[in-house]
Amino acid sequence: MQVIAKAQQAEGAVGQAGASRGIGREGPSLFDGVDLHALAAQVSTPCHAYSANAIRERIAGLQSAFQGLDHRICYAVKANSNVAILQLMAHHGVGADIVSLGELNRALLAGIPAEHIVFSGVGKTTEEIASALAVGVWRFNVESLDELQLLQEVAQRHGVCARAAARINPDVDARTHEKISTGKSENKFGVSIDEARRWFANAGSMSNVLLDGLHAHIGSQILELEPFREALTRVEAFRRELVDAGHPIASVDIGGGLGVCYRKGVDHPIPAAEYAGLVRVVFAEFQGTLVLEPGRYLVAEAGILLTRVIRVKPGVDRSFLVVDAAMNDLLRPSLYEAWHEIVPLVGGDREPARYDVVGPVCETGDTFARGRAMARCEAGDLLSIGSTGAYGASMASTYNSRPLAAEVLLDDGRYAVIRRRQTMAEMIAGEQLPQVWNET
Ligand SMILES: *Cc1c(COP(=O)(O)O)cnc(C)c1O
């Protein structure tokens, strides 16, 4: 975890005993060997920076935890869909879990082979199914009877056979934020085991769908093994039942959801080896391929959002640190009340202070932290917001007409811009004054 250590060293400038570290404006604040002050000066802020080595470590860690098991990792593209990140995944043999044609295009462009791509999502349209069949994705994770019937129809029309897995809603509480919980019966995802049982019973009547897989994804940012144990045990019991009833199952997709550390000392992620250990025990009798769909786990802690203080605004009972990143660059705090470490990359000689860290967007919800203790800051100071590699840039918008931030990939002391900052012209490209008024 050398890269992480470097990142923490940079972040530790204030978070812990900053005074003794001597990391300041003049000294380097290194992330994957890159000096963040120089980076911010060259690329400007706000800017998402990702450590290639941290991502590689996560991939390798998961791969080694599952070594010896017939498995495939299909990275959940929505966590961070930058093509360069996807290419990094492709280079390490990681496939993709996609939920739209946009993600399919990105994955293929990045060099992820179609046969390593699984297609999830409750709202697949005729067009999406047709396109995915045309390029030959590995499998569809089917979430409703209507979708299953549509898949049969479209596959028949195209004269191909679609591979499908039934997404089971195992009705377990993932004990995570309600907005990222997906495996309770009240959630829109998947179908009950009772319904899936009927699908398999009728599977023989589908000429162009091979229904031979199971899928379950119960939520995101899961920090306890127990919900996984409950869900996977149910899936495995159902799999055995299906096999006994004459329905062979070639693949079981256990979804994503592995949590990461946003708040040191508070979030204790499940070690990959423990997760793999559970999977080995639960699926000891399963002969097919296990599919993993990690998103956050592979990229979250590999990313930081660099932002600069625009000004310090004293309030009646608190001080606001107004920074140049906003909820449009990182939505998680506004959407989920998510905690992200915020570390001023300043010298260790600053006094302690407490701030509400806010962006310039005209919303009270545009708040990264409330009453956060950190070093005293002044205009121009550089801050690092931690663990923003997942659901950061991929959830970004241009709200308040703020162009999308730049993204850079860091690798052993070098960096490459993997998304240049959007220009004003690019932001409004596609918009036009009414030129032709059409009759419908
Ligand atoms: C979002 C999602 C994932 C990834 O979730 P993480 O918590 O980022 O690992 C995996 N599978 C499906 C079906 C998803 O919707």
Side-chain angles (χ1 to χ4, degrees), residues 109-351:
L109 192 64
I112 296 177
E115 60 269 26
H116 292 175
I117 296 176
V118 297
F119 194 175
S120 302
V122 294
K124 299 183 200 80
T125 63
T126 304
E127 185 209 357
E128 286 178 316
I129 291 173
S131 301
L133 281 175
V135 301
V137 302
W138 178 23
R139 222 191 45 209
F140 292 80
N141 289 331
V142 177
E143 308 221 13
S144 63
L145 182 58
D146 182 75
E147 183 193 333
L148 188 62
Q149 289 164 344
L150 181 63
L151 184 59
Q152 160 59 29
E153 233 175 86
V154 180
Q156 188 167 25
R157 203 179 314 141
H158 289 250
V160 294
C161 182
R163 268 216 137 143
R167 176 162 178 181
I168 306 298
N169 185 323
D171 194 20
V172 303
D173 185 351
R175 278 166 248 160
T176 182
H177 191 284
E178 61 172 292
K179 284 188 184 158
I180 49 175
S181 191
T182 57
K184 291 279 290 168
S185 59
E186 71 250 32
N187 299 136
K188 68 178 175 182
F189 301 98
V191 296
S192 67
I193 285 178
D194 284 343
E195 177 165 353
R197 189 179 288 122
R198 291 194 290 274
W199 292 9
F200 281 93
N202 297 324
S205 67
M206 292 186 297
S207 53
N208 296 72
V209 174
L210 176 59
L211 182 64
D212 68 349
L214 291 175
H215 174 228
H217 169 75
I218 58 171
S220 204
Q221 184 54 13
I222 298 168
L223 295 170
E224 297 169 62
L225 211 49
E226 216 34 52
F228 283 121
R229 190 193 313 278
E230 272 176 53
L232 298 182
T233 302
R234 278 177 209 184
V235 169
E236 171 60 2
F238 182 45
R239 184 197 67 81
R240 289 189 210 181
E241 178 199 318
L242 288 170
V243 171
D244 289 345
H247 304 293
I249 298 298
S251 66
V252 175
D253 184 331
I254 59 176
L258 276 176
V260 301
C261 182
Y262 287 104
R263 197 169 178 177
K264 282 176 209 127
V266 174
D267 298 333
H268 302 287
I270 303 166
E274 269 179 44
Y275 178 65
L278 169 73
V279 173
R280 283 175 201 276
V281 169
V282 172
F283 293 100
E285 290 177 23
F286 175 49
Q287 302 282 322
T289 305
L290 285 161
V291 184
L292 283 72
E293 300 174 340
R296 190 187 309 269
Y297 182 78
L298 295 183
V299 293
E301 290 179 57
I304 58 172
L305 174 59
L306 287 174
T307 181
R308 242 183 240 289
V309 177
I310 297 173
R311 64 179 52 87
V312 183
K313 177 181 167 178
V316 176
D317 60 356
R318 62 190 65 205
S319 284
F320 297 97
L321 207 54
V322 186
V323 300
D324 65 3
M327 63 189 285
N328 70 297
D329 304 300
L330 176 66
L331 188 58
R332 301 190 68 259
S334 309
L335 188 61
Y336 314 128
E337 279 115 37
W339 170 287
H340 287 266
E341 301 274 350
I342 303 179
V343 177
L345 303 178
V346 299
D349 51 350
R350 302 280 185 93
E351 292 160 32

